[in-house]
Amino acid sequence: MKNIFSSKRKITFTSCNMWKSCSLNLVLKKIIQTRFFQTVSYSKKVGKLSIYEVNQMLTANECAKEFNKGPVKSLDSNSLGSNIPIEDSRSAIISNFDSSLLVGVFDGHGGPACSQVVSKRIMRMIATSLMPKNLLKTYDQSQNNIFASCLNDSFEFVDELKHIYEESFAKYVADLINDSLYDTHDITEKIKNAFFQLDKDEALNYNCKRTMAVALSGTCALLAHVSKNNLTVANLGDCVAVVGSYSENGEWIAKKITNEHNADNLNEIRRIISEHPNNEKDSVIRSERLLGQLAPLRALGDFRFKWSKKILEELVVPIYGLQSIPVHYNTPPYLSPCPEIFQYNINTTDKFLVLATDGLWEIMTPMQVVRLIGEHMVGKAFLQPLRLPKRKLSIGDINIILDQRAKGLLMQPHDRNAATHLIRNALGGTEYGISEDKLSHMLSLPQEIVRLFRDDITIMIVYFDSNFIRTCPTVKSN
């Protein structure tokens, strides 16, 4: 198929192996990993990367941003691919109205197309829906960023798709303006509406072949909106959001905000079974997957789990064959585009928010992640040049400062970006610290086996401004 994105970053959509299961059972996976290292002379089979090449690879997709007002002090982000091309995406948008921040990570499957499209479109739709109605009425299609500014937009749609999406967005804004109950909708309703509208536009639109090409693949989505002391998180799929807090006892605490929508979530299993006839209770979830094929139980895109069987037979089977319709496909839709919404009031002990795709959480626990970021915050201070206090100092005072500096330098991290710091530790960490040898091996794995060891990893870390939170009146999310 043709590329769906133009010159900023060319992403080619392919449907190769998209109908097959994307990972092995974890036990089998572990056995294969162990036997691989036991029976293969690894350094001979795979060209080992140098430390310079490792660092180049780890920092290639870094992104960092500092803010001078509002509840967010700074943002660190990074991604590391396992698939080629990477199927994860990420996005961050700052509101031009109230400086609130909207960030998101998107874990694609079956190709990168859906996650890339969703990361651009859903953020813009949600940011727009949160504007006052009088501002919505000033919408001008020629002013692309009138309501919000994207912080790390690295690609553009090809002209054909751009035209389709701009027309769709203009209609979306018009519908918001014409909604007589718009001002009564809370943020939860607005976010859910954006998800439903986007999925209807992409996955449920079988009249447009170009958008059908996008919805052949699918994506999980995890979004967070930070405004004043309010944190609203929307989750669809198996990404995870965690708040890192520092207690009065000097201990780090990991607060998991979201639930994964997969076979480990019994409430999610019960929900899906309840939505289908009793005679399907043994076929809806098989081998811990939706209809035996899809691991996330909620997602955007993936129209072959949503369309009627009749439409699939008419439009999809002639191109992809009968295997494109899942076995026991009787009462669609099976896959929900409805996000689960969580609201949280940020307090002064809350220091940062982590959003990450499951590639990170397969390797690390929330507590490990929070502690690593906490240690990075302390050590990062020693990456700055030494500045002496603006007062008279004795030789003894200077000796104390230099001694503290020397001890602190032992704690300084290799990376300024905390997301890179996490990836380095996830892939190269041992009980004795970072193993350069292990890290090099993990990044040198050939494409045919790399997915046995690691998935795509995408991380967003949002640092809260404690001083702003301390002086901000407590206001519940609307």
Short mmCIF file of all heavy atoms in Angstrom, two decimals, residues 380-427:
data_model
loop_
_atom_site.label_atom_id
_atom_site.label_comp_id
_atom_site.label_asym_id
_atom_site.label_seq_id
_atom_site.Cartn_x
_atom_site.Cartn_y
_atom_site.Cartn_z
N LYS A 380 20.41 14.15 39.00
CA LYS A 380 20.44 15.11 37.89
C LYS A 380 20.94 16.47 38.33
O LYS A 380 21.53 17.22 37.55
CB LYS A 380 19.04 15.22 37.29
CG LYS A 380 18.97 16.02 36.00
CD LYS A 380 17.55 16.01 35.45
CE LYS A 380 17.46 16.84 34.18
NZ LYS A 380 16.08 16.87 33.64
N ALA A 381 20.71 16.82 39.60
CA ALA A 381 21.15 18.12 40.11
C ALA A 381 22.67 18.27 40.00
O ALA A 381 23.19 19.38 39.83
CB ALA A 381 20.71 18.29 41.56
N PHE A 382 23.39 17.15 40.04
CA PHE A 382 24.84 17.20 40.00
C PHE A 382 25.38 17.23 38.57
O PHE A 382 26.59 17.27 38.37
CB PHE A 382 25.43 16.01 40.77
CG PHE A 382 25.13 16.07 42.24
CD1 PHE A 382 24.09 15.35 42.79
CD2 PHE A 382 25.88 16.88 43.08
CE1 PHE A 382 23.79 15.42 44.14
CE2 PHE A 382 25.59 16.96 44.43
CZ PHE A 382 24.55 16.23 44.97
N LEU A 383 24.47 17.20 37.58
CA LEU A 383 24.88 17.40 36.20
C LEU A 383 25.02 18.89 35.88
O LEU A 383 25.58 19.26 34.85
CB LEU A 383 23.86 16.76 35.24
CG LEU A 383 23.78 15.23 35.26
CD1 LEU A 383 22.62 14.76 34.40
CD2 LEU A 383 25.08 14.61 34.78
N GLN A 384 24.48 19.74 36.76
CA GLN A 384 24.57 21.18 36.58
C GLN A 384 25.92 21.69 37.08
O GLN A 384 26.51 21.12 38.01
CB GLN A 384 23.43 21.89 37.33
CG GLN A 384 22.03 21.39 36.98
CD GLN A 384 21.70 21.59 35.52
OE1 GLN A 384 22.10 22.58 34.91
NE2 GLN A 384 20.97 20.64 34.94
N PRO A 385 26.44 22.81 36.52
CA PRO A 385 27.69 23.39 37.01
C PRO A 385 27.57 23.80 38.47
O PRO A 385 26.49 24.20 38.94
CB PRO A 385 27.88 24.62 36.10
CG PRO A 385 27.05 24.35 34.89
CD PRO A 385 25.89 23.54 35.37
N LEU A 386 28.66 23.69 39.22
CA LEU A 386 28.66 24.08 40.63
C LEU A 386 28.53 25.59 40.76
O LEU A 386 29.26 26.35 40.12
CB LEU A 386 29.97 23.62 41.29
CG LEU A 386 30.18 24.05 42.75
CD1 LEU A 386 29.09 23.48 43.64
CD2 LEU A 386 31.56 23.64 43.23
N ARG A 387 27.55 26.02 41.56
CA ARG A 387 27.38 27.45 41.83
C ARG A 387 27.48 27.66 43.34
O ARG A 387 26.70 27.08 44.10
CB ARG A 387 26.02 27.95 41.32
CG ARG A 387 25.92 28.00 39.81
CD ARG A 387 24.61 28.67 39.37
NE ARG A 387 24.53 28.81 37.94
CZ ARG A 387 24.04 27.90 37.10
NH1 ARG A 387 23.59 26.76 37.61
NH2 ARG A 387 24.01 28.11 35.80
N LEU A 388 28.41 28.49 43.76
CA LEU A 388 28.58 28.78 45.18
C LEU A 388 27.55 29.81 45.63
O LEU A 388 27.13 30.67 44.85
CB LEU A 388 30.00 29.32 45.44
CG LEU A 388 31.14 28.31 45.18
CD1 LEU A 388 32.48 29.02 45.35
CD2 LEU A 388 31.04 27.13 46.12
N PRO A 389 27.13 29.75 46.89
CA PRO A 389 26.17 30.72 47.42
C PRO A 389 26.73 32.15 47.35
O PRO A 389 27.95 32.36 47.44
CB PRO A 389 25.99 30.27 48.88
CG PRO A 389 26.44 28.85 48.91
CD PRO A 389 27.51 28.73 47.88
N LYS A 390 25.81 33.11 47.17
CA LYS A 390 26.24 34.52 47.09
C LYS A 390 26.38 35.11 48.50
O LYS A 390 25.62 35.97 48.93
CB LYS A 390 25.23 35.33 46.27
CG LYS A 390 25.20 34.91 44.80
CD LYS A 390 24.21 35.76 44.00
CE LYS A 390 24.22 35.35 42.53
NZ LYS A 390 23.25 36.16 41.74
N ARG A 391 27.32 34.62 49.23
CA ARG A 391 27.63 35.12 50.56
C ARG A 391 29.09 34.79 50.87
O ARG A 391 29.73 33.99 50.17
CB ARG A 391 26.71 34.49 51.62
CG ARG A 391 26.79 32.97 51.68
CD ARG A 391 25.82 32.41 52.71
NE ARG A 391 25.77 30.96 52.72
CZ ARG A 391 26.64 30.17 53.34
NH1 ARG A 391 27.66 30.73 54.03
NH2 ARG A 391 26.53 28.86 53.30
N LYS A 392 29.61 35.41 51.89
CA LYS A 392 31.00 35.15 52.25
C LYS A 392 31.14 33.73 52.77
O LYS A 392 30.36 33.28 53.61
CB LYS A 392 31.46 36.15 53.32
CG LYS A 392 31.62 37.57 52.78
CD LYS A 392 32.17 38.49 53.85
CE LYS A 392 32.36 39.91 53.32
NZ LYS A 392 32.92 40.82 54.35
N LEU A 393 32.13 33.03 52.26
CA LEU A 393 32.36 31.64 52.65
C LEU A 393 33.75 31.48 53.24
O LEU A 393 34.72 32.06 52.74
CB LEU A 393 32.23 30.72 51.44
CG LEU A 393 30.85 30.67 50.74
CD1 LEU A 393 30.96 29.85 49.47
CD2 LEU A 393 29.81 30.07 51.67
N SER A 394 33.82 30.68 54.29
CA SER A 394 35.12 30.36 54.87
C SER A 394 35.71 29.16 54.10
O SER A 394 35.01 28.49 53.33
CB SER A 394 34.97 30.00 56.34
OG SER A 394 34.24 28.79 56.48
N ILE A 395 36.98 28.90 54.33
CA ILE A 395 37.61 27.75 53.71
C ILE A 395 36.89 26.46 54.13
O ILE A 395 36.70 25.55 53.34
CB ILE A 395 39.10 27.66 54.11
CG1 ILE A 395 39.86 28.89 53.59
CG2 ILE A 395 39.73 26.38 53.59
CD1 ILE A 395 39.88 28.99 52.08
N GLY A 396 36.44 26.41 55.39
CA GLY A 396 35.71 25.24 55.89
C GLY A 396 34.40 25.04 55.15
O GLY A 396 34.03 23.91 54.82
N ASP A 397 33.68 26.18 54.91
CA ASP A 397 32.41 26.09 54.17
C ASP A 397 32.64 25.54 52.76
O ASP A 397 31.87 24.69 52.27
CB ASP A 397 31.76 27.47 54.07
CG ASP A 397 31.28 27.99 55.42
OD1 ASP A 397 30.99 27.15 56.29
OD2 ASP A 397 31.20 29.22 55.59
N ILE A 398 33.67 26.03 52.12
CA ILE A 398 33.98 25.59 50.75
C ILE A 398 34.34 24.11 50.73
O ILE A 398 33.93 23.36 49.84
CB ILE A 398 35.12 26.45 50.15
CG1 ILE A 398 34.64 27.90 49.98
CG2 ILE A 398 35.58 25.88 48.82
CD1 ILE A 398 35.72 28.85 49.52
N ASN A 399 35.10 23.66 51.74
CA ASN A 399 35.48 22.24 51.82
C ASN A 399 34.25 21.35 51.97
O ASN A 399 34.16 20.27 51.37
CB ASN A 399 36.43 22.01 53.00
CG ASN A 399 37.86 22.40 52.67
OD1 ASN A 399 38.25 22.42 51.52
ND2 ASN A 399 38.64 22.74 53.70
N ILE A 400 33.28 21.81 52.79
CA ILE A 400 32.03 21.04 52.97
C ILE A 400 31.27 20.94 51.66
O ILE A 400 30.77 19.87 51.27
CB ILE A 400 31.16 21.69 54.07
CG1 ILE A 400 31.83 21.53 55.43
CG2 ILE A 400 29.77 21.05 54.08
CD1 ILE A 400 31.13 22.29 56.55
N ILE A 401 31.16 22.08 50.94
CA ILE A 401 30.44 22.11 49.66
C ILE A 401 31.10 21.19 48.64
O ILE A 401 30.44 20.42 47.94
CB ILE A 401 30.35 23.55 49.12
CG1 ILE A 401 29.45 24.40 50.02
CG2 ILE A 401 29.83 23.56 47.69
CD1 ILE A 401 29.43 25.87 49.67
N LEU A 402 32.44 21.26 48.59
CA LEU A 402 33.17 20.41 47.63
C LEU A 402 33.06 18.94 47.99
O LEU A 402 32.99 18.07 47.10
CB LEU A 402 34.64 20.85 47.57
CG LEU A 402 34.90 22.23 46.95
CD1 LEU A 402 36.38 22.58 47.02
CD2 LEU A 402 34.41 22.28 45.51
N ASP A 403 33.05 18.65 49.28
CA ASP A 403 32.91 17.25 49.71
C ASP A 403 31.53 16.71 49.34
O ASP A 403 31.40 15.58 48.86
CB ASP A 403 33.12 17.17 51.23
CG ASP A 403 33.07 15.71 51.73
OD1 ASP A 403 33.85 14.90 51.21
OD2 ASP A 403 32.26 15.42 52.62
N GLN A 404 30.48 17.53 49.55
CA GLN A 404 29.13 17.12 49.16
C GLN A 404 29.02 16.94 47.65
O GLN A 404 28.36 16.02 47.16
CB GLN A 404 28.11 18.16 49.64
CG GLN A 404 27.95 18.22 51.15
CD GLN A 404 27.05 19.36 51.59
OE1 GLN A 404 26.84 20.34 50.86
NE2 GLN A 404 26.51 19.26 52.80
N ARG A 405 29.71 17.82 46.94
CA ARG A 405 29.69 17.73 45.48
C ARG A 405 30.36 16.44 45.01
O ARG A 405 29.85 15.76 44.11
CB ARG A 405 30.43 18.95 44.89
CG ARG A 405 30.52 18.97 43.37
CD ARG A 405 29.20 19.35 42.75
NE ARG A 405 29.28 19.45 41.31
CZ ARG A 405 28.29 19.80 40.51
NH1 ARG A 405 27.10 20.08 41.04
NH2 ARG A 405 28.44 19.87 39.21
N ALA A 406 31.49 16.11 45.62
CA ALA A 406 32.21 14.89 45.24
C ALA A 406 31.36 13.65 45.48
O ALA A 406 31.32 12.73 44.65
CB ALA A 406 33.52 14.80 46.02
N LYS A 407 30.65 13.61 46.63
CA LYS A 407 29.78 12.47 46.91
C LYS A 407 28.60 12.43 45.93
O LYS A 407 28.18 11.37 45.48
CB LYS A 407 29.26 12.54 48.34
CG LYS A 407 30.35 12.33 49.40
CD LYS A 407 29.78 12.47 50.81
CE LYS A 407 30.87 12.27 51.86
NZ LYS A 407 30.35 12.45 53.24
N GLY A 408 28.08 13.62 45.62
CA GLY A 408 26.95 13.70 44.71
C GLY A 408 27.29 13.27 43.30
O GLY A 408 26.46 12.69 42.59
N LEU A 409 28.53 13.54 42.88
CA LEU A 409 28.93 13.17 41.52
C LEU A 409 28.88 11.66 41.32
O LEU A 409 28.72 11.18 40.19
CB LEU A 409 30.34 13.69 41.24
CG LEU A 409 30.45 15.22 41.06
CD1 LEU A 409 31.90 15.64 40.91
CD2 LEU A 409 29.63 15.69 39.87
N LEU A 410 29.02 10.89 42.39
CA LEU A 410 28.92 9.44 42.29
C LEU A 410 27.49 9.00 41.99
O LEU A 410 27.26 7.89 41.51
CB LEU A 410 29.40 8.79 43.60
CG LEU A 410 30.86 9.04 44.00
CD1 LEU A 410 31.14 8.44 45.36
CD2 LEU A 410 31.81 8.48 42.95
N MET A 411 26.52 9.88 42.28
CA MET A 411 25.11 9.56 42.06
C MET A 411 24.59 10.06 40.71
O MET A 411 23.48 9.72 40.32
CB MET A 411 24.25 10.19 43.18
CG MET A 411 24.60 9.74 44.57
SD MET A 411 23.71 10.74 45.80
CE MET A 411 22.01 10.44 45.32
N GLN A 412 25.38 10.87 40.03
CA GLN A 412 24.84 11.49 38.83
C GLN A 412 24.54 10.44 37.75
O GLN A 412 25.32 9.51 37.53
CB GLN A 412 25.81 12.53 38.28
CG GLN A 412 27.11 12.01 37.73
CD GLN A 412 27.95 13.12 37.13
OE1 GLN A 412 27.51 14.25 37.00
NE2 GLN A 412 29.17 12.79 36.75
N PRO A 413 23.40 10.55 37.09
CA PRO A 413 23.03 9.58 36.06
C PRO A 413 23.78 9.84 34.76
O PRO A 413 24.30 10.93 34.53
CB PRO A 413 21.53 9.85 35.88
CG PRO A 413 21.37 11.31 36.22
CD PRO A 413 22.37 11.57 37.32
N HIS A 414 23.80 8.83 33.94
CA HIS A 414 24.44 8.96 32.63
C HIS A 414 23.62 9.86 31.73
O HIS A 414 24.17 10.60 30.90
CB HIS A 414 24.61 7.58 31.99
CG HIS A 414 25.37 7.58 30.71
ND1 HIS A 414 24.84 8.01 29.52
CD2 HIS A 414 26.65 7.20 30.44
CE1 HIS A 414 25.74 7.89 28.56
NE2 HIS A 414 26.84 7.39 29.09
N ASP A 415 22.30 9.83 31.89
CA ASP A 415 21.39 10.54 30.99
C ASP A 415 20.71 11.71 31.67
O ASP A 415 20.25 11.59 32.81
CB ASP A 415 20.30 9.58 30.47
CG ASP A 415 20.88 8.33 29.84
OD1 ASP A 415 21.42 8.44 28.73
OD2 ASP A 415 20.80 7.26 30.47
N ARG A 416 20.60 12.82 30.98
CA ARG A 416 19.82 13.94 31.50
C ARG A 416 18.33 13.65 31.41
O ARG A 416 17.54 14.10 32.23
CB ARG A 416 20.13 15.22 30.70
CG ARG A 416 21.50 15.81 30.99
CD ARG A 416 21.70 17.12 30.24
NE ARG A 416 22.99 17.70 30.59
CZ ARG A 416 23.19 18.52 31.61
NH1 ARG A 416 22.15 18.83 32.40
NH2 ARG A 416 24.37 19.01 31.88
N ASN A 417 17.93 12.92 30.39
CA ASN A 417 16.53 12.60 30.16
C ASN A 417 16.14 11.36 30.98
O ASN A 417 16.72 10.29 30.83
CB ASN A 417 16.30 12.34 28.66
CG ASN A 417 14.84 12.25 28.30
OD1 ASN A 417 14.11 11.41 28.81
ND2 ASN A 417 14.41 13.11 27.39
N ALA A 418 15.15 11.52 31.86
CA ALA A 418 14.76 10.42 32.75
C ALA A 418 14.14 9.25 32.01
O ALA A 418 14.24 8.10 32.44
CB ALA A 418 13.79 10.93 33.82
N ALA A 419 13.47 9.52 30.88
CA ALA A 419 12.89 8.42 30.09
C ALA A 419 14.00 7.55 29.51
O ALA A 419 13.89 6.32 29.49
CB ALA A 419 12.01 8.99 28.98
N THR A 420 15.08 8.18 29.07
CA THR A 420 16.24 7.42 28.58
C THR A 420 16.87 6.63 29.71
O THR A 420 17.29 5.48 29.54
CB THR A 420 17.28 8.38 27.97
OG1 THR A 420 16.64 9.22 27.00
CG2 THR A 420 18.41 7.62 27.29
N HIS A 421 16.94 7.25 30.89
CA HIS A 421 17.47 6.60 32.09
C HIS A 421 16.68 5.33 32.39
O HIS A 421 17.27 4.28 32.74
CB HIS A 421 17.39 7.59 33.25
CG HIS A 421 17.88 7.06 34.56
ND1 HIS A 421 19.20 6.78 34.81
CD2 HIS A 421 17.21 6.77 35.72
CE1 HIS A 421 19.34 6.34 36.06
NE2 HIS A 421 18.15 6.33 36.63
N LEU A 422 15.36 5.38 32.24
CA LEU A 422 14.53 4.20 32.48
C LEU A 422 14.81 3.10 31.46
O LEU A 422 14.95 1.93 31.82
CB LEU A 422 13.05 4.57 32.43
CG LEU A 422 12.43 5.29 33.62
CD1 LEU A 422 10.95 5.54 33.37
CD2 LEU A 422 12.61 4.49 34.90
N ILE A 423 14.89 3.47 30.19
CA ILE A 423 15.13 2.48 29.14
C ILE A 423 16.50 1.83 29.34
O ILE A 423 16.66 0.61 29.20
CB ILE A 423 15.02 3.12 27.74
CG1 ILE A 423 13.58 3.61 27.50
CG2 ILE A 423 15.43 2.12 26.66
CD1 ILE A 423 13.40 4.39 26.21
N ARG A 424 17.51 2.64 29.69
CA ARG A 424 18.86 2.11 29.92
C ARG A 424 18.84 1.07 31.05
O ARG A 424 19.46 0.00 30.95
CB ARG A 424 19.82 3.25 30.25
CG ARG A 424 21.30 2.82 30.35
CD ARG A 424 22.17 4.00 30.75
NE ARG A 424 22.16 5.05 29.76
CZ ARG A 424 22.95 5.09 28.68
NH1 ARG A 424 23.82 4.10 28.47
NH2 ARG A 424 22.88 6.09 27.83
N ASN A 425 18.14 1.39 32.14
CA ASN A 425 18.06 0.47 33.27
C ASN A 425 17.20 -0.75 32.96
O ASN A 425 17.48 -1.86 33.42
CB ASN A 425 17.52 1.20 34.50
CG ASN A 425 18.59 1.97 35.24
OD1 ASN A 425 19.27 1.44 36.12
ND2 ASN A 425 18.77 3.23 34.88
N ALA A 426 16.12 -0.55 32.18
CA ALA A 426 15.23 -1.66 31.84
C ALA A 426 15.98 -2.72 31.03
O ALA A 426 15.80 -3.92 31.25
CB ALA A 426 14.02 -1.15 31.07
N LEU A 427 16.83 -2.29 30.11
CA LEU A 427 17.50 -3.23 29.22
C LEU A 427 18.88 -3.66 29.72
O LEU A 427 19.34 -4.74 29.38
CB LEU A 427 17.63 -2.62 27.82
CG LEU A 427 16.33 -2.24 27.12
CD1 LEU A 427 16.61 -1.78 25.70
CD2 LEU A 427 15.35 -3.41 27.10
#
